[in-house]
Amino acid sequence: EDQVTQSPEALRLQEGESSSLNCSYTVSGLRGLFWYRQDPGKGPEFLFTLYSAGEEKEKERLKATLTKKESFLHITAPKPEDSATYLCAVQADNYGQNFVFGPGTRLSVLP
Amino acid sequence: NAGVTQTPKFQVLKTGQSMTLQCAQDMNHNSMYWYRQDPGMGLRLIYYSASEGTTDKGEVPNGYNVSRLNKREFSLRLESAAPSQTSVYFCASSEIPDRAYGYTFGSGTRLTVV
């Protein structure tokens, strides 16, 4: 069965303490892996798309990487404003143009 | 730059009541989507419209209907609300086949069915 899982479920960091979030997937024919940020009471906001293993994308303190089975979102020297829930989603041959979302990782960065 | 606008933002319904959630986008996107978000389960696709005039079922369509009124608007209707439909509902849009920018989401409708 196709699955998208994320770990950890929640993560608390001190400001400046770097860490990584994980997104693991078991799908056939990956066409793209997407990272979103979601603030409380808001809709998800698009961050990155990764298409193939070995690809990396960066934006400010965030860096996303992709292997054949998982993706990592690395957060370097986080600030309190990075606190949010981070969602990953995959697009695969079985789903046409649609995505399957993971449950998210809730990140809290303490000052 | 409104993006995707959803109304209402909050709603409380009694079991058996009906309502329509409205969604409009101003980005000239072809595709629109309705998702529900429940704790610990991630976003699940209810219905989508790949282009004006077409609609298709997603992962969890039971108990819902949709209408793609025109290119801008995509509504979601609950004919007879049930407590299991208590959730946060998100509308999204995208320009297919450009996947580089993902979806643009609205800010959501928080629905409680009592």
Side-chain angles (χ1 to χ4, degrees), chain B residues 54-65:
Chain B
T54 69
T55 60
D56 285 288
K57 296 179 180 179
E59 181 185 357
V60 288
N62 291 344
Y64 305 95
N65 284 299

Side-chain angles (χ1 to χ4, degrees), chain A residues 34-37 44-49 59, chain B residues 99-103 105:
Chain A
F34 301 76
W35 282 99
Y36 287 84
R37 170 191 170 126
E45 179 183 345
F46 172 76
L47 291 173
F48 303 110
T49 307
K59 179 179 181 179
Chain B
R99 297 177 289 140
Y101 301 102
Y103 289 173
F105 283 86

Side-chain angles (χ1 to χ4, degrees), chain B:
Chain B
N1 53 346
V4 177
T5 302
Q6 291 184 236
T7 56
K9 293 189 182 302
F10 301 93
Q11 184 71 48
V12 179
L13 289 179
K14 293 183 179 179
T15 297
Q17 286 186 318
S18 62
M19 79 161 294
T20 299
L21 282 64
Q22 306 287 353
C23 175
Q25 52 93 6
D26 62 1
M27 296 167 288
N28 202 36
H29 284 170
N30 286 314
S31 301
M32 298 185 73
Y33 311 84
W34 277 105
Y35 282 88
R36 60 178 289 172
Q37 186 174 39
D38 302 293
M41 298 191 70
L43 288 153
R44 291 182 293 168
L45 183 64
I46 305 171
Y47 270 93
Y48 67 100
S49 171
S51 60
E52 187 178 356
T54 69
T55 60
D56 285 288
K57 296 179 180 179
E59 181 185 357
V60 288
N62 291 344
Y64 305 95
N65 284 299
V66 290
S67 295
R68 184 74 182 265
L69 305 171
N70 47 55
K71 191 171 185 178
R72 290 186 64 248
E73 298 173 286
F74 188 39
S75 62
L76 178 72
R77 183 160 177 84
L78 287 71
E79 291 291 351
S80 179
S84 60
Q85 294 178 306
T86 293
S87 188
V88 181
Y89 291 85
F90 288 99
C91 177
S93 70
S94 69
E95 183 59 41
I96 298 295
D98 183 357
R99 297 177 289 140
Y101 301 102
Y103 289 173
T104 300
F105 283 86
S107 57
T109 295
R110 185 173 295 275
L111 175 66
T112 302
V113 183
V114 298

